[in-house]
Amino acid sequence: MQQAQTLYEKLWFSHVVRQDADGTALIYIDRHLVHEVTSPQAFEGLKLAGRKPWRVSSIVATADHNTPTDHWEEGIKDPISRQQVETLDANIREVGSLAYFPFKDERQGIVHVIGPENGATLPGMTVVCGDSHTSTHGAFACLAHGIGTSEVEHVLATQCLMQKKSKTLLIQVDGDLAPGVTAKDVVLAIIGRIGTAGGTGYALEFGGSAIRGLSMEGRMTICNMAIEAGARAGLIAVDETTIDYLKGRPYAPAGDEFERAAVYWRTLISDAGAKYDKVVQMDAAAIRPQVTWGTSPEMVSDISGVVPDPAAEKDPVKREGMTRALAYMGLEAGMPIKRIPVDRVFIGSCTNSRIEDLRAAAAVAKGRQKADSVKQVLVVPGSGLVKRQAESEGLDKVFVAAGFEWREPGCSMCLAMNADRLESGERCASTSNRNFEGRQGAGGRTHLVSPALAAAAAIAGHFADVAELN
Amino acid sequence: MRAFTTLDGLVAPLDRANVDTDAIIPKQFLKSIQRSGFGPNLFDEWRYLDHGEPGMDNSVRKLNPDFVLNQPRYTGAQILLTRDNFGCGSSREHAPWALDDYGFRALIGTSYADIFFNNCFKNGVLPICLPADVVDRLFATCLANEGYRLKIDLAAQQVIESDGTAHRFDVDGFRKECLLNGWDEIGLTLRHADEISAFEASRKAAHPYYFR
């Protein structure tokens, strides 16, 4: 009998083209997602070397990082951003692709939203993209991770990556989530537990009844932030939730072929008795809504907690990091999280811009008003299709009635490459994935939260439990 | 790729953990479609007192005197001493491009984020891991001695202090060969083009729906 394998091992071994004695392997890449920021130098390198792309039907491309989220009729005003987007247009026009959703296309959107929603991300694939949040696609039992531009060029030229097998870490989250606790809270709690380098060198698999109980949107939120725990790849096994999500998607197989594929996809689970290099157990029922207080995603607290005191930290490097973070964030040790006021709110990003996220935010916003002290609440759908779906459900009207701004899709204020950004010193409740210094604008202060908590902060003017809103 | 064999370089200490790629090269500089020219904006938000944007004349911007790399004693440094989890965050290869363009050829720390670590090797920049107590000592020695230099011998896998004390470091054998020889990985991979084609054909036969 074959030895029990983890999901990661199944995916790894089914893609090894060749392996050297030292373990360096060539891994075949099924899907190559491309966006405007990390691809121009790769296309240029390919051309300079006189090489042709190996298989353009693996390419799905879109413009997302630089694109504006309002006044689309005016185009992209920033000339450098425009040049980057136009360079992508020209490169894709020249080499070809399976699908290209350019700026203003009705299916344009964040690369990690459009892949799954179009069925271009399928279980059992290897998926790469020059973007660290490619881990998102692991929610479909894909071996998916971010790569640098040299590797983008390598995949374009050879359809392979040179790699060694990772170690495996199972994060088992069992039990029932408390009401109001979402996938975002689960993954922030995981990062709080294992740290931002806790997953370095590992492929993470998320398992347990709490993970199985999540929708595909929730699972994508979890895998999206595997990289914030240091892991290039996050994985969740296939189940009927996965299969149901994929039915009828444009690039998924159809009819009998779908059923045959699904038989294979259902084998993409870790076998009973499979061995992991490390296992972490989490109790789902103990997880509370989470808010980050510092400048690293591991600097996170329950919403009912207080800003921690660096003096209580024994490790001198960590203590120094906490002290610097509190100074940057303009916070005092001991301050209750719920007393922290916010200037702006951002609901969007590849972590939390899917339809379920927008529904959760709208449920909180419905019939309420943004606090006067909050300057701006941006709601940025993950794609044109998400936007259309939300509008068909009337969510846009809920947001606008609450004083929120309903925008066009894109990465937006998650990384502030376009015009959406924080001013220096401004504090933001954000559904994105990174609270690094300057991430949302130079001097900006980011607190990572779920869509429900972001909406609650917009209404209350400070962090608040949804249940405590009047 | 440029080869890396040995280096005798001035050391600069950046005594922070979790230095992320947004700090190494802020996002506004990612709009470039070039691979070079990122050096003047390395650590831009820490290094300058004003806010940097692409196209600015960086030579007239006001430097932050409190930022370590702005101290004259570290001018021309080629080795950056770092702490845990250096390079965490995004996959932007602009981070090693900026370090390289500034003049850093090697990093010495306790750990690196995976994608950043990988990206360094593609650009002839050597990220070295040493034990925490050794790194602590190198920081202390570096701070105490102006003009502090270290030698790095990749073939021997050693960091050598001026008194001759040598610290052995691990490096993946294949990556070491690539760096020592300056090999082009794409060229190496394409030597196996027949195997890739054969693998692709059998995968396509088994799972045609992955190939639309």
Short mmCIF file of all heavy atoms in Angstrom, two decimals, chain A residues 141-199:
data_model
loop_
_atom_site.label_atom_id
_atom_site.label_comp_id
_atom_site.label_asym_id
_atom_site.label_seq_id
_atom_site.Cartn_x
_atom_site.Cartn_y
_atom_site.Cartn_z
N ALA A 141 -7.07 23.87 -3.07
CA ALA A 141 -6.13 22.75 -3.13
C ALA A 141 -5.21 22.88 -4.34
O ALA A 141 -4.95 21.92 -5.06
CB ALA A 141 -6.84 21.41 -3.11
N CYS A 142 -4.75 24.11 -4.58
CA CYS A 142 -3.73 24.38 -5.59
C CYS A 142 -2.42 24.61 -4.85
O CYS A 142 -2.44 25.19 -3.77
CB CYS A 142 -4.01 25.68 -6.33
SG CYS A 142 -5.43 25.63 -7.38
N LEU A 143 -1.32 24.20 -5.47
CA LEU A 143 -0.03 24.60 -4.93
C LEU A 143 0.27 25.97 -5.55
O LEU A 143 0.60 26.07 -6.73
CB LEU A 143 1.04 23.57 -5.30
CG LEU A 143 2.44 23.88 -4.77
CD1 LEU A 143 2.42 24.16 -3.27
CD2 LEU A 143 3.38 22.73 -5.08
N ALA A 144 0.04 27.02 -4.76
CA ALA A 144 0.04 28.37 -5.30
C ALA A 144 0.93 29.26 -4.47
O ALA A 144 0.79 29.30 -3.25
CB ALA A 144 -1.38 28.93 -5.29
N HIS A 145 1.85 29.95 -5.12
CA HIS A 145 2.65 30.89 -4.35
C HIS A 145 3.20 32.02 -5.18
O HIS A 145 3.26 31.95 -6.41
CB HIS A 145 3.77 30.19 -3.58
CG HIS A 145 4.67 29.39 -4.45
ND1 HIS A 145 5.59 29.96 -5.26
CD2 HIS A 145 4.77 28.06 -4.63
CE1 HIS A 145 6.24 29.02 -5.89
NE2 HIS A 145 5.76 27.86 -5.56
N GLY A 146 3.62 33.05 -4.49
CA GLY A 146 4.19 34.23 -5.12
C GLY A 146 5.61 33.98 -5.56
O GLY A 146 6.33 33.17 -4.95
N ILE A 147 6.01 34.68 -6.62
CA ILE A 147 7.37 34.56 -7.14
C ILE A 147 7.87 35.96 -7.49
O ILE A 147 7.09 36.89 -7.66
CB ILE A 147 7.44 33.65 -8.40
CG1 ILE A 147 6.47 34.13 -9.49
CG2 ILE A 147 7.15 32.20 -8.02
CD1 ILE A 147 6.50 33.29 -10.77
N GLY A 148 9.18 36.08 -7.59
CA GLY A 148 9.77 37.35 -8.00
C GLY A 148 9.78 37.47 -9.52
O GLY A 148 9.38 36.53 -10.23
N THR A 149 10.25 38.61 -10.00
CA THR A 149 10.21 38.86 -11.44
C THR A 149 11.14 37.93 -12.22
O THR A 149 10.81 37.51 -13.34
CB THR A 149 10.54 40.34 -11.70
OG1 THR A 149 9.53 41.14 -11.07
CG2 THR A 149 10.57 40.67 -13.18
N SER A 150 12.29 37.57 -11.65
CA SER A 150 13.17 36.61 -12.35
C SER A 150 12.45 35.29 -12.56
O SER A 150 12.60 34.64 -13.60
CB SER A 150 14.45 36.36 -11.53
OG SER A 150 15.23 37.52 -11.48
N GLU A 151 11.66 34.89 -11.55
CA GLU A 151 10.92 33.63 -11.70
C GLU A 151 9.73 33.78 -12.64
O GLU A 151 9.34 32.82 -13.30
CB GLU A 151 10.50 33.10 -10.33
CG GLU A 151 11.70 32.54 -9.56
CD GLU A 151 11.33 31.84 -8.27
OE1 GLU A 151 10.41 32.30 -7.58
OE2 GLU A 151 11.97 30.82 -7.96
N VAL A 152 9.15 34.99 -12.69
CA VAL A 152 8.10 35.23 -13.70
C VAL A 152 8.70 34.96 -15.08
O VAL A 152 8.10 34.26 -15.92
CB VAL A 152 7.55 36.67 -13.60
CG1 VAL A 152 6.64 37.00 -14.78
CG2 VAL A 152 6.80 36.87 -12.29
N GLU A 153 9.89 35.48 -15.31
CA GLU A 153 10.56 35.27 -16.59
C GLU A 153 10.88 33.79 -16.81
O GLU A 153 10.70 33.24 -17.90
CB GLU A 153 11.84 36.11 -16.65
CG GLU A 153 12.54 36.07 -17.99
CD GLU A 153 13.81 36.92 -18.02
OE1 GLU A 153 13.94 37.84 -17.20
OE2 GLU A 153 14.68 36.65 -18.88
N HIS A 154 11.30 33.13 -15.72
CA HIS A 154 11.64 31.70 -15.80
C HIS A 154 10.41 30.88 -16.18
O HIS A 154 10.49 29.97 -17.02
CB HIS A 154 12.21 31.25 -14.45
CG HIS A 154 12.89 29.92 -14.48
ND1 HIS A 154 12.20 28.74 -14.43
CD2 HIS A 154 14.20 29.58 -14.56
CE1 HIS A 154 13.06 27.73 -14.46
NE2 HIS A 154 14.29 28.21 -14.55
N VAL A 155 9.27 31.21 -15.59
CA VAL A 155 8.03 30.47 -15.90
C VAL A 155 7.57 30.79 -17.33
O VAL A 155 7.14 29.90 -18.07
CB VAL A 155 6.92 30.78 -14.87
CG1 VAL A 155 5.59 30.16 -15.30
CG2 VAL A 155 7.32 30.25 -13.49
N LEU A 156 7.67 32.06 -17.72
CA LEU A 156 7.31 32.40 -19.10
C LEU A 156 8.13 31.57 -20.09
O LEU A 156 7.61 31.06 -21.07
CB LEU A 156 7.56 33.89 -19.36
CG LEU A 156 6.56 34.89 -18.79
CD1 LEU A 156 7.07 36.32 -18.97
CD2 LEU A 156 5.18 34.75 -19.43
N ALA A 157 9.43 31.45 -19.79
CA ALA A 157 10.34 30.82 -20.75
C ALA A 157 10.31 29.30 -20.71
O ALA A 157 10.55 28.65 -21.73
CB ALA A 157 11.77 31.30 -20.49
N THR A 158 10.03 28.73 -19.54
CA THR A 158 10.22 27.27 -19.38
C THR A 158 8.99 26.53 -18.87
O THR A 158 8.98 25.31 -18.85
CB THR A 158 11.36 26.98 -18.38
OG1 THR A 158 10.92 27.31 -17.05
CG2 THR A 158 12.63 27.78 -18.71
N GLN A 159 7.97 27.26 -18.40
CA GLN A 159 6.76 26.69 -17.80
C GLN A 159 7.08 25.93 -16.50
O GLN A 159 6.29 25.12 -16.02
CB GLN A 159 6.03 25.76 -18.80
CG GLN A 159 4.52 25.72 -18.62
CD GLN A 159 3.90 27.11 -18.74
OE1 GLN A 159 4.26 27.91 -19.59
NE2 GLN A 159 2.99 27.42 -17.85
N CYS A 160 8.26 26.17 -15.97
CA CYS A 160 8.69 25.47 -14.76
C CYS A 160 9.30 26.43 -13.75
O CYS A 160 9.71 27.54 -14.11
CB CYS A 160 9.77 24.43 -15.09
SG CYS A 160 9.14 23.03 -16.02
N LEU A 161 9.37 25.97 -12.52
CA LEU A 161 10.13 26.64 -11.48
C LEU A 161 11.13 25.65 -10.91
O LEU A 161 10.88 24.45 -10.86
CB LEU A 161 9.22 27.08 -10.33
CG LEU A 161 8.51 28.40 -10.43
CD1 LEU A 161 7.75 28.64 -9.13
CD2 LEU A 161 9.48 29.55 -10.69
N MET A 162 12.27 26.18 -10.49
CA MET A 162 13.27 25.34 -9.84
C MET A 162 13.06 25.48 -8.34
O MET A 162 13.09 26.59 -7.82
CB MET A 162 14.63 25.89 -10.22
CG MET A 162 15.61 24.88 -10.67
SD MET A 162 17.11 25.71 -11.11
CE MET A 162 17.15 25.42 -12.85
N GLN A 163 12.83 24.38 -7.68
CA GLN A 163 12.49 24.44 -6.25
C GLN A 163 12.94 23.21 -5.50
O GLN A 163 13.19 22.18 -6.11
CB GLN A 163 10.97 24.51 -6.08
CG GLN A 163 10.41 25.88 -6.20
CD GLN A 163 8.99 25.98 -5.71
OE1 GLN A 163 8.33 24.96 -5.47
NE2 GLN A 163 8.52 27.17 -5.57
N LYS A 164 12.96 23.35 -4.18
CA LYS A 164 13.07 22.18 -3.31
C LYS A 164 11.77 22.03 -2.55
O LYS A 164 11.08 23.04 -2.30
CB LYS A 164 14.24 22.33 -2.34
CG LYS A 164 15.57 22.02 -3.00
CD LYS A 164 16.68 21.96 -1.98
CE LYS A 164 17.93 21.38 -2.62
NZ LYS A 164 19.08 21.42 -1.73
N LYS A 165 11.47 20.81 -2.16
CA LYS A 165 10.23 20.55 -1.45
C LYS A 165 10.24 21.28 -0.10
O LYS A 165 11.26 21.33 0.58
CB LYS A 165 10.14 19.03 -1.23
CG LYS A 165 8.80 18.52 -0.87
CD LYS A 165 8.75 17.02 -1.19
CE LYS A 165 7.72 16.33 -0.34
NZ LYS A 165 8.25 15.93 0.98
N SER A 166 9.09 21.85 0.25
CA SER A 166 8.96 22.53 1.55
C SER A 166 8.66 21.53 2.65
O SER A 166 8.23 20.41 2.38
CB SER A 166 7.79 23.53 1.50
OG SER A 166 7.97 24.50 0.54
N LYS A 167 8.81 21.99 3.87
CA LYS A 167 8.28 21.23 5.01
C LYS A 167 6.78 21.50 5.09
O LYS A 167 6.28 22.42 4.46
CB LYS A 167 8.98 21.68 6.30
CG LYS A 167 10.47 21.36 6.33
CD LYS A 167 11.11 21.85 7.62
CE LYS A 167 11.26 23.36 7.60
NZ LYS A 167 11.95 23.90 8.78
N THR A 168 6.09 20.68 5.88
CA THR A 168 4.64 20.86 5.98
C THR A 168 4.23 21.20 7.41
O THR A 168 4.77 20.66 8.38
CB THR A 168 3.89 19.59 5.55
OG1 THR A 168 4.42 18.48 6.28
CG2 THR A 168 4.04 19.34 4.07
N LEU A 169 3.31 22.12 7.53
CA LEU A 169 2.77 22.54 8.83
C LEU A 169 1.25 22.51 8.74
O LEU A 169 0.67 23.18 7.88
CB LEU A 169 3.28 23.95 9.16
CG LEU A 169 2.61 24.74 10.29
CD1 LEU A 169 2.62 23.96 11.61
CD2 LEU A 169 3.31 26.08 10.50
N LEU A 170 0.64 21.70 9.59
CA LEU A 170 -0.83 21.65 9.64
C LEU A 170 -1.32 22.58 10.74
O LEU A 170 -0.87 22.48 11.89
CB LEU A 170 -1.30 20.22 9.93
CG LEU A 170 -2.82 20.07 10.18
CD1 LEU A 170 -3.62 20.39 8.93
CD2 LEU A 170 -3.15 18.67 10.68
N ILE A 171 -2.24 23.47 10.37
CA ILE A 171 -2.90 24.30 11.38
C ILE A 171 -4.33 23.80 11.48
O ILE A 171 -5.12 23.95 10.54
CB ILE A 171 -2.81 25.77 11.02
CG1 ILE A 171 -1.32 26.15 11.00
CG2 ILE A 171 -3.59 26.62 12.02
CD1 ILE A 171 -1.01 27.56 10.73
N GLN A 172 -4.61 23.16 12.58
CA GLN A 172 -5.88 22.47 12.76
C GLN A 172 -6.77 23.35 13.63
O GLN A 172 -6.44 23.60 14.80
CB GLN A 172 -5.58 21.13 13.46
CG GLN A 172 -6.74 20.28 13.83
CD GLN A 172 -7.15 19.35 12.69
OE1 GLN A 172 -6.45 19.24 11.68
NE2 GLN A 172 -8.28 18.69 12.85
N VAL A 173 -7.87 23.86 13.06
CA VAL A 173 -8.77 24.73 13.81
C VAL A 173 -10.10 24.00 13.99
O VAL A 173 -10.89 23.90 13.06
CB VAL A 173 -8.99 26.08 13.09
CG1 VAL A 173 -9.69 27.07 14.02
CG2 VAL A 173 -7.67 26.67 12.60
N ASP A 174 -10.31 23.48 15.17
CA ASP A 174 -11.51 22.69 15.43
C ASP A 174 -12.49 23.43 16.31
O ASP A 174 -12.09 24.26 17.13
CB ASP A 174 -11.13 21.35 16.08
CG ASP A 174 -10.66 20.34 15.04
OD1 ASP A 174 -11.32 20.22 13.99
OD2 ASP A 174 -9.63 19.69 15.28
N GLY A 175 -13.77 23.09 16.14
CA GLY A 175 -14.82 23.68 16.97
C GLY A 175 -15.64 24.68 16.17
O GLY A 175 -15.42 24.87 14.97
N ASP A 176 -16.57 25.32 16.85
CA ASP A 176 -17.46 26.28 16.18
C ASP A 176 -16.99 27.69 16.46
O ASP A 176 -16.66 28.03 17.60
CB ASP A 176 -18.89 26.12 16.71
CG ASP A 176 -19.48 24.76 16.33
OD1 ASP A 176 -19.15 24.28 15.21
OD2 ASP A 176 -20.21 24.17 17.15
N LEU A 177 -17.00 28.52 15.42
CA LEU A 177 -16.67 29.92 15.59
C LEU A 177 -17.83 30.62 16.31
O LEU A 177 -19.00 30.34 16.04
CB LEU A 177 -16.44 30.59 14.24
CG LEU A 177 -15.21 30.11 13.45
CD1 LEU A 177 -15.19 30.75 12.06
CD2 LEU A 177 -13.92 30.42 14.20
N ALA A 178 -17.50 31.52 17.21
CA ALA A 178 -18.53 32.30 17.90
C ALA A 178 -19.22 33.21 16.89
O ALA A 178 -18.62 33.58 15.88
CB ALA A 178 -17.89 33.13 19.01
N PRO A 179 -20.47 33.62 17.16
CA PRO A 179 -21.17 34.53 16.24
C PRO A 179 -20.34 35.80 16.05
O PRO A 179 -19.77 36.33 17.00
CB PRO A 179 -22.48 34.84 16.98
CG PRO A 179 -22.67 33.72 17.94
CD PRO A 179 -21.30 33.23 18.31
N GLY A 180 -20.26 36.27 14.80
CA GLY A 180 -19.51 37.50 14.51
C GLY A 180 -18.03 37.28 14.29
O GLY A 180 -17.31 38.22 13.98
N VAL A 181 -17.55 36.06 14.46
CA VAL A 181 -16.13 35.76 14.22
C VAL A 181 -16.00 35.22 12.80
O VAL A 181 -16.73 34.30 12.41
CB VAL A 181 -15.58 34.77 15.24
CG1 VAL A 181 -14.14 34.39 14.90
CG2 VAL A 181 -15.66 35.36 16.64
N THR A 182 -15.11 35.82 12.01
CA THR A 182 -15.01 35.50 10.59
C THR A 182 -13.65 34.88 10.25
O THR A 182 -12.76 34.80 11.10
CB THR A 182 -15.17 36.78 9.75
OG1 THR A 182 -14.02 37.61 9.99
CG2 THR A 182 -16.43 37.55 10.12
N ALA A 183 -13.52 34.51 8.97
CA ALA A 183 -12.26 33.93 8.49
C ALA A 183 -11.09 34.86 8.77
O ALA A 183 -9.99 34.42 9.12
CB ALA A 183 -12.37 33.65 6.99
N LYS A 184 -11.29 36.17 8.63
CA LYS A 184 -10.21 37.13 8.86
C LYS A 184 -9.73 37.05 10.31
O LYS A 184 -8.52 37.11 10.57
CB LYS A 184 -10.72 38.54 8.54
CG LYS A 184 -9.68 39.66 8.67
CD LYS A 184 -8.57 39.48 7.66
CE LYS A 184 -7.71 40.72 7.47
NZ LYS A 184 -8.37 41.79 6.74
N ASP A 185 -10.68 36.92 11.23
CA ASP A 185 -10.31 36.83 12.64
C ASP A 185 -9.52 35.54 12.91
O ASP A 185 -8.57 35.53 13.68
CB ASP A 185 -11.57 36.88 13.52
CG ASP A 185 -12.37 38.14 13.25
OD1 ASP A 185 -11.80 39.23 13.37
OD2 ASP A 185 -13.56 38.02 12.91
N VAL A 186 -9.94 34.48 12.22
CA VAL A 186 -9.25 33.19 12.40
C VAL A 186 -7.80 33.31 11.95
O VAL A 186 -6.87 32.92 12.66
CB VAL A 186 -9.97 32.06 11.62
CG1 VAL A 186 -9.16 30.77 11.67
CG2 VAL A 186 -11.38 31.84 12.16
N VAL A 187 -7.60 33.89 10.77
CA VAL A 187 -6.23 33.92 10.24
C VAL A 187 -5.37 34.92 11.02
O VAL A 187 -4.18 34.67 11.26
CB VAL A 187 -6.20 34.14 8.71
CG1 VAL A 187 -6.56 35.57 8.31
CG2 VAL A 187 -4.84 33.74 8.14
N LEU A 188 -5.95 36.02 11.48
CA LEU A 188 -5.17 36.94 12.32
C LEU A 188 -4.80 36.27 13.65
O LEU A 188 -3.68 36.45 14.14
CB LEU A 188 -5.95 38.25 12.56
CG LEU A 188 -6.00 39.22 11.38
CD1 LEU A 188 -6.95 40.38 11.68
CD2 LEU A 188 -4.61 39.77 11.04
N ALA A 189 -5.73 35.49 14.18
CA ALA A 189 -5.43 34.77 15.44
C ALA A 189 -4.32 33.74 15.22
O ALA A 189 -3.45 33.56 16.07
CB ALA A 189 -6.70 34.10 15.97
N ILE A 190 -4.33 33.10 14.05
CA ILE A 190 -3.28 32.13 13.73
C ILE A 190 -1.92 32.83 13.66
O ILE A 190 -0.92 32.37 14.23
CB ILE A 190 -3.59 31.41 12.39
CG1 ILE A 190 -4.79 30.46 12.55
CG2 ILE A 190 -2.36 30.64 11.89
CD1 ILE A 190 -5.33 29.90 11.24
N ILE A 191 -1.89 33.99 12.97
CA ILE A 191 -0.61 34.73 12.84
C ILE A 191 -0.16 35.24 14.20
O ILE A 191 1.04 35.21 14.52
CB ILE A 191 -0.77 35.87 11.82
CG1 ILE A 191 -1.04 35.29 10.42
CG2 ILE A 191 0.48 36.75 11.79
CD1 ILE A 191 -1.58 36.29 9.42
N GLY A 192 -1.12 35.67 15.03
CA GLY A 192 -0.78 36.10 16.38
C GLY A 192 -0.14 34.96 17.18
O GLY A 192 0.76 35.17 17.98
N ARG A 193 -0.61 33.75 16.90
CA ARG A 193 -0.10 32.58 17.62
C ARG A 193 1.28 32.14 17.11
O ARG A 193 2.20 31.95 17.90
CB ARG A 193 -1.13 31.45 17.46
CG ARG A 193 -0.66 30.07 17.84
CD ARG A 193 -0.89 29.76 19.31
NE ARG A 193 -0.61 28.37 19.55
CZ ARG A 193 -1.53 27.39 19.47
NH1 ARG A 193 -2.79 27.69 19.21
NH2 ARG A 193 -1.18 26.14 19.67
N ILE A 194 1.43 31.98 15.78
CA ILE A 194 2.70 31.41 15.29
C ILE A 194 3.71 32.47 14.86
O ILE A 194 4.88 32.16 14.67
CB ILE A 194 2.48 30.38 14.14
CG1 ILE A 194 2.03 31.05 12.84
CG2 ILE A 194 1.50 29.29 14.56
CD1 ILE A 194 1.99 30.08 11.65
N GLY A 195 3.26 33.72 14.69
CA GLY A 195 4.20 34.79 14.33
C GLY A 195 4.37 34.92 12.83
O GLY A 195 4.05 34.00 12.07
N THR A 196 4.92 36.08 12.42
CA THR A 196 5.04 36.35 10.98
C THR A 196 6.15 35.52 10.32
O THR A 196 6.26 35.50 9.11
CB THR A 196 5.33 37.84 10.71
OG1 THR A 196 6.38 38.26 11.57
CG2 THR A 196 4.10 38.68 10.94
N ALA A 197 6.98 34.86 11.12
CA ALA A 197 7.98 33.96 10.53
C ALA A 197 7.67 32.51 10.90
O ALA A 197 8.44 31.61 10.60
CB ALA A 197 9.38 34.33 10.99
N GLY A 198 6.51 32.29 11.54
CA GLY A 198 6.16 30.94 12.01
C GLY A 198 6.01 29.93 10.89
O GLY A 198 6.20 28.72 11.10
N GLY A 199 5.68 30.42 9.69
CA GLY A 199 5.47 29.50 8.57
C GLY A 199 6.63 29.50 7.58
O GLY A 199 6.54 28.84 6.54
#
